[in-house]
Amino acid sequence: AKIPVKGVALDLNQSQLAILRVPDLPGVAASLLEQLASRGVCVDMIIQSQSEQNSNDIAFTVPSTDLHLAETVLQQAASKLGYRDVISDRAIAKVSIVGTGMIQHPGIAARMFNALAQANINIEMIATSEIKVSCVVRQDLAIEALRAIHAEFNLDGNDKISIGS
Amino acid sequence: AKIPVKGVALDLNQSQLAILRVPDLPGVAASLLEQLASRGVCVDMIIQSQSEQNSNDIAFTVPSTDLHLAETVLQQAASKLGYRDVISDRAIAKVSIVGTGMIQHPGIAARMFNALAQANINIEMIATSEIKVSCVVRQDLAIEALRAIHAEFNLDGNDKISIGS
Ligand SMILES: C[C@@H](O)[C@H](N)C(=O)O
Ligand SMILES: C[C@@H](O)[C@H](N)C(=O)O
C-alpha cells in the first residue's frame, strides 16, 4: 500500500513546561490556559496523560521566546490552583511525521519510534492526531532524529521537510 | 477576528489503555507500538507527557473492539519491558475541536476547557496538534461535553459535528 507518511517536520523553536501533580478537578486546565492566554502566550502542544490517584501532570510547549513569561504565569497560579512544581526545559525539539490516514496504519508510529530507538534517541513526550505523530526529543539530537525518521520512511527530495516552527 | 474553530467531533468508539511507570529508555515506546501493530491493533491516540525520575506513563486509545486484545498484548510485554500496571477503561469519549490556525490563538483551548469546567466535566487526557484539540472525558458525559463546547463556539447548523469514529 502507498505509504501514508507525506513528510517530516522539525520544530526547534519550542520550549517545554510541565506542572507535576495538579489537582485532577474540573476547571484546573481551564485556569492554566486562561492565565497563559491572558498574557498572550501562544501554546503549541498541550499533553496530559493518565491521572494517578487525584492528581495529574500537564505539559505544554511554548515558543522559546515566551518561556520565561509562561513560567512566571504558571508559578504565580501555583498556590491558587494547588500545585508546586513547574519544570521548564529549553533544550527540546519537536519532530513529527505528517500524512493523512497515518494513525490508522498501526505500524507507522511503531516505525517512527523504532527509527528513534535505533539512533538511541529517547522519546520524552508523544502527542498524536489522525494526521500527525509528534515526539519531543533532546534538542542536541534533533537533526539526528530528523535524519533517522527521514531514512526510515524513504522520503526522497520531493517530500516535505520543514525545519523551523 | 474570524473564529478559527470549524467544528466539534465526538468519538464514542474508543477505549483507553495506560501503562504506568515504563522505563524511560530508548526503544520502549517502539516495542509497545510494534507489539500492538503486529496484532493489528489500530491505535488512535498515543499520549505521553513529562517523565518523572527514570520512568514515564504512556496512554493509548484504541477502538473498543480491540481493547481486550490490546490489553492482553501489553500485559504479555510487561515483564520484558519492565513495567507492571496496565490500566484499561472502556467508559471514555474523545471530544475535539477542529480548525486551522486554532492553536495559535491562545484563548481557544482555554475556552474549550472552560466550557467543560462550567459543565463540571473533568478532563482526563489532553492531546493537541495545530488543527485539533482533543480531550478525553467520561463516556456518560460525552453528549453534555459536546453540547457545552458547541455552545461555547456558537457553532450553528452549518458547522460540522461528527459523532462516531
Ligand atoms: C517512555 C518511552 O517513550 C521511552 N522514553 C522511549 O523512548 O521509548
Ligand atoms: C488536570 C486537569 O486537566 C483537570 N482534570 C481539569 O479538568 O481541568
Side-chain angles (χ1 to χ4, degrees), chain A residues 16 21 50 130 132, chain B residues 16 21 50 52 130 132:
Chain A
Q16 182 175 325
R21 286 177 291 287
Q50 171 92 9
E130 285 75 5
K132 190 168 188 173
Chain B
Q16 182 174 325
R21 286 176 290 286
Q50 172 91 9
E52 262 190 87
E130 286 74 4
K132 189 168 188 174

Side-chain angles (χ1 to χ4, degrees), chain A residues 40-112:
Chain A
V41 176
C42 283
V43 176
D44 180 49
M45 296 167 84
I46 307 167
I47 302 180
Q48 176 191 311
S49 194
Q50 171 92 9
S51 64
E52 264 192 84
Q53 277 100 35
N54 298 323
S55 73
N56 205 335
D57 303 336
I58 184 169
F60 309 98
T61 60
V62 298
S64 294
T65 49
D66 287 349
L67 180 65
H68 188 62
L69 172 61
E71 203 174 355
T72 305
V73 168
L74 295 178
Q75 279 162 349
Q76 283 170 349
S79 57
K80 181 174 142 250
L81 291 178
Y83 56 84
R84 228 185 30 223
D85 306 323
V86 178
I87 304 174
S88 69
D89 189 348
R90 281 184 187 279
I92 64 151
K94 180 175 78 169
V95 59
S96 310
I97 52 175
V98 287
T100 46
M102 192 168 55
I103 204 79
Q104 297 308 320
H105 293 242
I108 298 288
R111 284 177 59 193
M112 177 189 191

